[in-house]
Amino acid sequence: MIQGELLSDIIEAVSNTFGNEFLDRLTLKLASTIGADYTFIAIFDKEKYESKTITLVAKGKIAENMAYSLKDTPCAEVFDNSVCYYPTDVQKVFPGDQLLIEMKIEGYIGSPLLNSKKEVMGLIVGLFETEIQNKDQILTLFQIFSGRIAAELERSEYESRLEQNNHELESLVDKRTSELKQTLDELKERQNQLIESEKMASLGLLSAGIAHEINNPLNFILGGYFGVREILEGSGLDSEKTKLYLDAIKEGVDRTSRIVKGLNQFTRSGDSFDERFDLNEILENCLAMLTHSLRDRIEVQKDLTSLPLLVQGNSGKIHQVLLNVLTNAIQAMEGEFGILGIQSFEEGPYAIMVITDSGAGIRDEHLNLIRNPFFTTKEPGKGVGLGLSIAYKIIKDHNGLIEIESEWRKGTKFLIKLPKPK
């Protein structure tokens, strides 16, 4: 019989403990009480048909856990919900259990652990290098504490599942939150692009009307220019001074005509990608529109192909891209003298245009962000960061490519590649 003091001693040793600490303390105390050389608590893996210790005491000390096959072992009997007891010669009864031989085990006693559904979930085992003398006392102790052990194992399993479920739920919430944020960002981008498109459409109507109204007085001015020139040439009043005034009038008319032409090109509508147009001509139209921004502080250095640089696509959208890139380059040189370099050439199946500026450049940490919608380094009210994002999308829709090289405080280089007509 087990004395009450002995039970009280074991219970006191494991009181107020849970999980691995409880199992380790209990196994240590049981090993000491029953005098076993090895004592362990193990759980079964039915699919693998193996047993894995969750706490193992060897020679009075906690040892590293191990897993072993149930085949040809006494544990297979415990697996069938029966107590296993071999007081001596257990190696002879199970000659295929190499572990018993290596550990020099003479006696074996094991008792099943049942969960709340009365299913065998594991076992508690005592291994002895000598013959077992106190079977009844050991079995009584095993039976007394097997229910508490099983309950603790179930509690730990439920806790582990709860933690895993919480983790999966958190991951799912994070994923859905990320997807929702991405959807909201995309909606915001599309909304702003729609607003931008509506602005462009309104600007197109306005520009078309303005161009028509401007062209009429331009024709009057141009007619007057030719009339005055004809009168002066036949009157003998023609001089270097009058010629200078007439040339100024003609230059003003020509420049205004180019600006009007650029406005018409910039605001062209439609989604067709079947147009064939000269990239150099688009560039000249953009420069005409930006003359006021260049003034006398920015020198434009052009090296364009002598022949038309033909591209197939949507001329209005490409005009929008070049105007945006040129505007960014000019703004990067704001407040100081600068050089705007423009080069065009052919490279294999591509028409290439390179635009460089001697401006402030782009910081390294911003280079990978400038394609993102709404990213801008400009002050509030000077841009929402949609220009380059839209430019990238337009070039991508044309099966082209934009490459950027920049060095902080030294300038930026934009390379635009567009497929030539086939």
Side-chain angles (χ1 to χ4, degrees), residues 136-199:
D136 293 338
Q137 182 180 359
I138 295 172
L139 285 178
T140 301
L141 283 172
F142 281 6
Q143 289 169 0
I144 289 174
F145 290 101
S146 62
R148 177 65 178 89
I149 294 170
E152 186 61 31
L153 291 176
E154 279 195 298
R155 189 199 65 79
S156 297
E157 183 181 355
Y158 291 147
E159 189 177 80
S160 177
R161 286 182 184 176
L162 180 61
E163 184 177 350
Q164 182 179 353
N165 290 338
N166 284 338
H167 179 71
E168 290 176 355
L169 181 60
E170 289 174 0
S171 298
L172 183 60
V173 170
D174 290 342
K175 181 181 178 182
R176 293 294 170 85
T177 302
S178 176
E179 290 175 351
L180 180 59
K181 183 178 181 301
Q182 182 179 352
T183 302
L184 289 174
D185 288 343
E186 289 176 357
L187 285 174
K188 189 176 180 182
E189 179 185 355
R190 292 180 184 277
Q191 182 183 24
N192 280 273
Q193 287 180 352
L194 180 60
I195 292 172
E196 193 81 4
S197 298
E198 290 175 350
K199 286 181 180 178

Side-chain angles (χ1 to χ4, degrees), residues 234-414:
S235 66
L237 298 175
D238 193 16
S239 65
E240 288 295 326
K241 195 170 186 179
T242 58
K243 187 176 183 300
L244 184 64
Y245 288 148
L246 286 172
D247 288 344
I249 293 172
K250 183 66 165 59
E251 174 62 26
V253 171
D254 289 343
R255 181 175 296 182
T256 305
S257 295
R258 288 196 298 270
I259 292 173
V260 170
K261 186 178 180 181
L263 276 173
N264 283 330
Q265 187 72 34
F266 175 61
T267 56
R268 290 186 66 177
S269 61
D271 296 321
S272 172
F273 285 78
D274 297 330
E275 300 177 70
R276 287 196 176 197
F277 51 89
D278 182 5
L279 203 58
N280 291 336
E281 184 180 354
I282 298 289
L283 174 74
E284 295 290 0
N285 288 337
C286 291
L287 289 175
M289 292 181 65
L290 295 171
T291 302
H292 68 286
S293 299
L294 298 170
R295 299 189 184 93
D296 297 327
R297 67 179 181 86
I298 294 179
E299 177 185 348
V300 179
Q301 297 179 351
K302 294 187 290 185
D303 180 15
L304 307 181
T305 56
S306 56
L307 297 176
L309 188 59
L310 295 180
V311 171
Q312 183 168 329
N314 186 302
S315 60
K317 293 182 183 297
I318 296 302
H319 196 288
Q320 184 180 351
V321 170
L322 291 183
L323 190 66
N324 183 276
V325 173
L326 288 169
T327 301
N328 274 277
I330 292 169
Q331 290 176 347
M333 299 181 284
E334 189 173 359
E336 58 184 45
F337 176 80
I339 296 175
L340 179 63
I342 304 169
Q343 181 185 15
S344 70
F345 55 92
E346 294 184 4
E347 187 179 87
Y350 290 100
I352 311 293
M353 183 155 288
V354 179
I355 300 173
T356 59
D357 67 71
S358 59
I362 304 171
R363 296 181 187 273
D364 290 341
E365 60 268 28
H366 293 160
L367 267 177
N368 293 328
L369 300 174
I370 59 176
R371 304 185 186 194
N372 297 344
F374 315 114
F375 175 80
T376 179
T377 57
K378 297 175 183 176
E379 298 176 6
K382 293 188 176 181
V384 295
L386 271 172
L388 284 178
S389 171
I390 293 174
Y392 274 104
K393 185 178 185 307
I394 290 173
I395 296 299
K396 183 179 179 182
D397 290 342
H398 280 76
N399 297 318
L401 179 68
I402 295 184
E403 296 177 354
I404 300 179
E405 296 177 12
S406 186
E407 189 172 350
W408 179 239
R409 299 191 184 283
K410 291 192 176 181
T412 302
K413 171 182 173 183
F414 276 84

